Amino acid sequence: MTDRRLRIAVQKSGRLADRSAELISGAGLRILKGANELLYRIENQPIDLLRVRDDDIPTFVADGVAELGIVGYNVLAEHFPDRDLEEMIVQRLGFGSCTLKVAVPNDVDYAGPKWLEGKRIATSYPNILGKWLKDNGVTAEIVEMRGAVEVAPRMKIAHAICDLVSTGATLEANGMKATDLVLKSEAVLIKAPHAPPSELAHTYDMLLRRFDGVTASTGAKYVMMNAPKTHLDEIIRMIPGADAPTIMQLAGREDTVAVHAVCQENVFWDTLDKLKAAGASAILVLPIEKMMKGGEEPLKNNADLCLEKSERRRTQGSPGPAGKPPRCARGRDRAHHL
Ligand code: PRT
Ligand code: ZN
């Protein structure tokens, strides 16, 4: 027996804190909030959450203080400008998206990076900006600021800034416009350079599989419809991001099949209208709660298992599944039904 527990470094409070906690809960980990604000226990697994400022996460993980960490790619890239970040990154998490951009006052006639030559640029990301300036053959003075970068031109501290932009509202409120894209960012799951202790390897692997499953199912949809055989190819091509759809013969309908597919992308009303125009009917779009991907196997989930059951039922004479969602695939949201 051992008391050793895995550690995941997460942002204590801030823009990534809630989504990180959702990911962890989504992986079936029960967070036990304790008196120790720095370390929360996971009740049902030998795991602790190390709750720190996001700036500390890359170092904690790189030094092995935590086996895993959730942090913005921008913070990671700024911390380790000379490392191969792909070696540290386990997966991209699809939240906390933003861009690091150069911005200048609205009245500047900006004609490209050369405008920055010899100017002062305020930023909290001196390493990333320094590299970008070098790549663009520009020599400029970098003024490092911890926060409130957007006020630098008004305060005459700098001619331009390089800061994170999400909606663009902050730039607009400060009379500035974004120009060049320096870096695209989102939250990433990172891992320590050394393998976890052997007694925790099983928990570690389980965790990575589950995180992958939660991320894969976010935004993914299970789509079902009936389709005329004559337009089947066309209809399948219209289903966005569909991976190997299942085609099943409908009982007593020689000309029509049921099509079931897992879509890795959002399915918009526009797509449903087009599917209907191509002859699809009884179209259902269902949210997917959990998904476990496996090797080279096509995606298989609860809903697939239910389909196999309903397939057996149908061949015994019960109604086709495209008109009715399989029980296990039912999610929190309501299905769109045309
Ligand atoms: O306290 P701690 O050090 O942990 O947190 P922090 O204050 O350093 O970071 P925090 O919580 O603000 O952001 C954490 C991470 O969220 C960042 O490192 C990014 O990866 C990600 N993220 C996503 C953002 C934004 N969007 C964002 N818009 N981080 C900051 N901003 C700021 C930006 O700096 C600017 O001031 O929001 C403003 C711009 O927003 P818009 O919507 O007006 O364009
Ligand atoms: Zn920070």
Side-chain angles (χ1 to χ4, degrees):
M1 284 294 283
T2 174
D3 289 339
R4 183 74 169 77
R5 297 165 72 82
L6 283 180
R7 286 200 188 127
I8 312 172
V10 293
Q11 190 187 26
K12 184 178 174 191
S13 64
R15 288 169 197 263
L16 302 183
D18 288 351
R19 292 296 302 270
S20 302
E22 273 173 33
L23 174 68
I24 286 160
S25 307
L29 309 187
R30 284 201 296 276
I31 304 169
L32 203 62
K33 295 181 181 170
N36 184 351
E37 281 285 304
L38 175 70
L39 211 66
Y40 278 1
R41 274 175 94 82
I42 298 297
E43 201 180 14
N44 54 339
Q45 294 288 344
I47 301 170
D48 287 331
L49 298 186
L50 190 58
R51 303 172 70 247
V52 290
R53 289 199 60 176
D54 65 349
D55 314 76
D56 295 329
I57 294 174
T59 317
F60 279 160
V61 175
D63 291 352
V65 175
E67 280 79 12
L68 294 166
I70 298 171
V71 70
Y73 181 78
N74 51 308
V75 175
L76 187 67
E78 179 61 24
H79 258 77
F80 298 126
D82 302 318
R83 278 206 196 181
D84 178 1
L85 301 182
E86 293 307 315
E87 275 184 9
M88 276 191 93
I89 295 174
V90 182
Q91 67 173 110
R92 284 164 171 72
L93 296 171
F95 62 85
S97 302
C98 55
T99 50
L100 185 63
K101 286 185 170 173
V102 172
V104 294
N106 283 331
D107 58 5
V108 168
D109 189 11
Y110 190 85
K114 284 289 171 207
W115 183 88
L116 298 164
E117 185 69 35
K119 303 267 193 330
R120 281 196 310 275
I121 313 167
T123 188
S124 307
Y125 297 88
N127 290 330
I128 300 175
L129 175 61
K131 256 173 119 179
W132 182 82
L133 288 171
K134 200 169 161 214
D135 289 348
N136 283 278
V138 173
T139 307
E141 186 188 340
I142 297 175
V143 181
E144 190 174 345
M145 290 178 74
R146 286 272 158 177
V149 175
E150 63 277 4
V151 301
R154 231 184 317 141
M155 306 279 288
K156 308 285 179 216
I157 297 169
H159 302 97
I161 67 168
C162 174
D163 198 12
L164 294 179
V165 181
S166 171
T167 60
T170 306
L171 287 184
E172 203 182 316
N174 285 279
M176 275 187 288
K177 57 185 178 190
T179 58
D180 305 288
L181 172 68
V182 175
L183 185 92
K184 275 189 185 173
S185 180
E186 69 183 289
V188 289
L189 178 69
I190 55 172
K191 64 173 173 31
H194 304 297
S198 56
E199 67 272 25
L200 290 169
H202 173 76
T203 308
Y204 183 84
D205 291 344
M206 176 271 302
L207 202 55
L208 295 195
R209 264 199 319 274
R210 290 191 185 180
F211 281 157
D212 193 30
V214 175
T215 310
S217 64
T218 305
K221 300 281 182 255
Y222 195 86
V223 180
M224 305 191 285
M225 70 197 76
N226 291 342
K229 281 181 180 170
T230 47
H231 289 74
L232 189 56
D233 288 348
E234 184 191 347
I235 284 173
I236 288 173
R237 273 198 304 274
M238 282 179 191
I239 306 173
D243 187 40
T246 307
I247 313 292
M248 287 168 289
Q249 183 60 54
L250 287 182
R253 296 273 303 274
E254 282 308 309
D255 56 343
T256 310
V257 288
V259 180
H260 292 219
V262 173
C263 298
Q264 301 295 336
E265 301 166 22
N266 230 328
V267 184
F268 296 105
W269 282 107
D270 198 32
T271 308
L272 299 191
D273 287 339
K274 285 181 186 148
L275 284 165
K276 198 168 182 193
S281 59
I283 310 170
L284 282 173
V285 181
L286 303 163
I288 295 174
E289 200 174 286
K290 290 187 179 61
M291 192 191 290
M292 184 81 78
K293 289 191 276 179
E296 297 303 304
E297 294 283 307
L299 292 166
K300 183 130 180 147
N301 53 33
N302 266 354
D304 280 326
L305 298 176
C306 290
L307 285 177
E308 282 165 14
K309 269 196 226 156
S310 51
E311 169 78 340
R312 278 201 300 277
R313 268 204 311 273
R314 207 180 55 256
T315 49
Q316 289 158 12
S318 36
K324 201 173 165 208
R327 216 155 24 103
C328 325
R330 227 177 273 150
R332 273 162 300 176
D333 305 347
R334 292 181 59 196
H336 309 309
H337 198 171
L338 284 193

